[in-house]
Each structure stands twice: as structure tokens, then as C-alpha cells.
Amino acid sequence: DTPLLAVVAGEREAEDLVEDVSLFLPDVSHLPAWETLPFEHVSPNVVTMGARIRARHALEGASSAVVVASVRAATQRFSPSPVEPLVLTVGDEAGFDTVVARLVELGYHRTDRAEARGDMAVRGGIVDVYPPDAAHPFRIDFWGDDIESLRTYSASSQRSIEAIDTVAVFPARELLIDEAVIARAEELRIDAPWASDTWDRFAEGITFQGMESWLPWLAPPRTVIDAAHGPVVVFDPVRCADRAADLISEEADLAAALAGTWGAGAPEAGEHPPLYLPFDTAAVDDRVLLAPPQAAGPGDDGYEVRGLDAVAGDPE
């Protein structure tokens, strides 16, 4: 009766588990890892961010959703930005200007035609929006401030496909420049002047390519494991712990290689806030179910509920 987070060692294993569980349960989500590296000033793919936003929203819900994540995705510091969608329904007095302003707040890029995920377009009393997790963009037709119709349409031909009654528009980016981010950027102007040009852009509300790479400086050290309020199932905890240690080591190696390019006053290698955090289930230890690989005997399903400390040195 609460969302469940399942953690596996690798990204491919997470994808396979999602496919398997979806045969039995209707509400299964994959929380993918970023395809970008720490310190790489490139934004993750918008589809990846969209999938992560939906999965995080499922974890925050009250339904019996299952979210599957690799260790890389589960130990990544996550954005403090809210993941609540903008829900629009035919007949609602949503307010034309209010909806347009809200879509901008959700990270949508205003353009002439909404042809790519993360785009929005405004023409007269019509708002087009292409959510990153949607198969097709949506067209919102207003009559004054009332939503007169909602339709999906083809991104290539711009022709309508199907009329719908309601739509949930999730944020277009994981990191939204809201009041909290602006306040943190203003603090960093003083605390970390070596990157003042970057903090200025955040403080002024400017969205830019690679802004997500600065997440470790802007977000508290929390992961989805910390945020999960339901059961957390860890498959093969020894491999998961090893993989988490590898990620931390790889990030440290990258920092050592790049620290010299960060400029005067920048932190030394190892002193930067990390993107990948230790694989620590202590905060939710009372809800963790560990599933180490082991031979299943008669009447044994091969799974145990055990403490992480007990498994850490277990040769099994």
C-alpha cells in the first residue's frame, strides 16, 4: 500500500527487472541514471530527466507503485526541485496566462513550434507543450481562461491525433531555477567566487546547457533511498556496495584530472561536493529488504530480510 523502491547493481539489470515486474503489476517505473559524467558541463537527455521525474513522483505517492533503480541512479544526489505535474482538464478555469507562466516555471523552452520534448509554443489562445515523458505533444485550446479542448498532435505534421479529457504535464528539467536555487546561488557568490559567472546565471534565473552538472553545489546530500518512505529492496547488496564504491572512486579520479582547470580559488580534488553519495541504507534500515544471491532449497524463495552489516562480510 506504499511505493516500493528496488535497487539493483547495473542499469541493464534495472531495465530487465522493470520489464519482468510489468508483466505482473501495472504501476512500474524505471529511475534511470544520467548518461553524463560528473563535472561534464552537458545536460542529461531530456527523456532521461523526464523518466526520473516520473519515477520520483511515483515514489512520493501513496499508491502501490514499484520503482526500479540501478546503484548509479539510486546513489546520485537528486535535485531538490519539486516533481509535481501541472494537471489540466477540459472545462477547468485554469487561466491562460497562469498556465503559460507555470510551464515556464516547469522548465519548458518557449519556441515557435513545440516539436521537441521540453518545448512549448503559444499562438493566440492555443498553448502547445511537449512533455519529456510523452509519446506526443499536447495542444491546449483556451476560450478565455477556460480550457475548451485538449488534444494530442503530431510533432512533425502539427495535425491533431486524439481528443483527451485531462493531462498531467511533468517538469521538463530535473533542476528548476526556483527561489531555493536562487537563494543558494546567491550564497555561493560569496562562498565560491571562483565560479561567480555560473552562480550569476542561476541567481538571475537563466537556464543554460549543463546546468545540472552544478547540482552537487546546489542540492543537499540526499538520494532517492533517503527520500523513499516505503520498502527498499536491495538485490545482491554486496555487488551494489562494490558498484557504489567504484562510482565514488571514478568521480574522485575525474576530480583529480580536472581540478587544475577549475581556476583560481576552486576546491582541490576531493574537496568538491560529490554527485555520487555512499550506498547507505541506515536512514531507512527498518524498511530495507536485502536479497542476496543464494541457492533456494525446498520451500525457500531465496530471499532473506537481513541487516546490511550482516551481509557486508557474508561470503554468499
Side-chain angles (χ1 to χ4, degrees):
D1 58 355
T2 57
L4 180 149
L5 173 64
V7 181
V8 296
E11 195 69 17
R12 182 58 192 166
E13 292 169 80
E15 294 171 358
D16 290 344
L17 186 56
V18 168
E19 291 180 2
D20 292 344
V21 177
S22 64
L23 297 174
F24 303 95
L25 299 174
D27 193 358
V28 184
S29 303
H30 177 210
L31 179 78
W34 285 356
E35 63 279 352
T36 55
L37 296 172
F39 317 114
E40 185 178 19
H41 297 319
V42 177
S43 293
N45 185 285
V46 66
V47 176
T48 299
M49 290 193 287
R52 287 176 57 84
I53 289 167
R54 282 201 75 114
R56 279 186 51 201
H57 183 258
L59 276 177
E60 294 177 2
S63 65
S64 55
V66 173
V67 174
V68 182
S70 66
V71 168
R72 183 176 179 184
T75 61
Q76 177 187 311
R77 184 188 303 245
F78 75 86
S79 170
S81 300
V83 292
E84 287 294 323
L86 172 64
V87 179
L88 302 171
T89 304
V90 174
D92 281 356
E93 187 180 349
F96 179 84
D97 293 336
T98 301
V99 169
V100 171
R102 182 62 181 141
L103 290 174
V104 172
E105 291 175 357
L106 292 177
Y108 284 87
H109 172 62
R110 189 162 177 173
T111 184
D112 293 334
R113 285 160 56 107
E115 299 174 306
R117 288 179 172 86
D119 284 352
M120 62 172 288
V122 180
R123 303 186 314 279
I126 296 175
V127 178
D128 291 345
V129 59
Y130 200 164
D133 61 310
H136 299 285
F138 299 95
R139 180 158 291 151
I140 311 161
D141 200 343
F142 282 86
W143 178 261
D145 282 335
D146 296 343
I147 298 177
E148 187 176 36
S149 68
L150 287 169
R151 291 165 288 167
T152 57
Y153 69 90
S154 167
S156 56
S157 69
Q158 298 287 299
R159 294 182 177 178
S160 298
I161 298 176
E162 180 183 14
I164 54 177
D165 294 325
T166 188
V167 62
V169 182
F170 284 88
R173 307 185 77 105
E174 275 191 83
L175 181 58
L176 303 177
I177 305 181
D178 53 19
E179 292 182 2
V181 168
I182 291 173
R184 176 60 180 151
E186 290 174 345
E187 293 176 357
L188 288 166
R189 280 172 161 172
I190 300 171
D191 298 339
W194 59 276
S196 59
D197 289 346
T198 298
W199 312 139
D200 288 346
R201 284 189 283 181
F202 278 114
E204 293 167 10
I206 299 173
T207 300
F208 57 94
Q209 175 63 231
M211 57 187 280
E212 290 80 11
S213 64
W214 297 95
L215 182 65
W217 280 267
L218 299 166
R222 297 189 75 223
T223 68
V224 293
I225 295 176
D226 300 321
H229 62 269
V232 179
V233 181
V234 180
F235 290 84
D236 201 342
V238 174
R239 277 188 63 214
C240 287
D242 289 345
R243 177 57 182 146
D246 288 343
L247 289 168
I248 292 172
S249 177
E250 290 166 7
E251 182 175 358
D253 291 343
L254 280 172
L258 297 173
T261 67
W262 292 345
E268 298 291 334
E271 296 179 1
H272 65 283
L275 177 65
Y276 295 110
L277 303 172
F279 184 62
D280 182 12
T281 58
V284 291
D285 193 55
D286 59 327
R287 293 182 281 108
V288 174
L289 293 86
L290 301 180
Q294 58 187 37
D300 183 3
D301 62 5
Y303 295 93
E304 292 185 64
V305 179
R306 309 171 65 184
L308 186 59
D309 291 339
V311 174
D314 193 333
E316 293 184 348

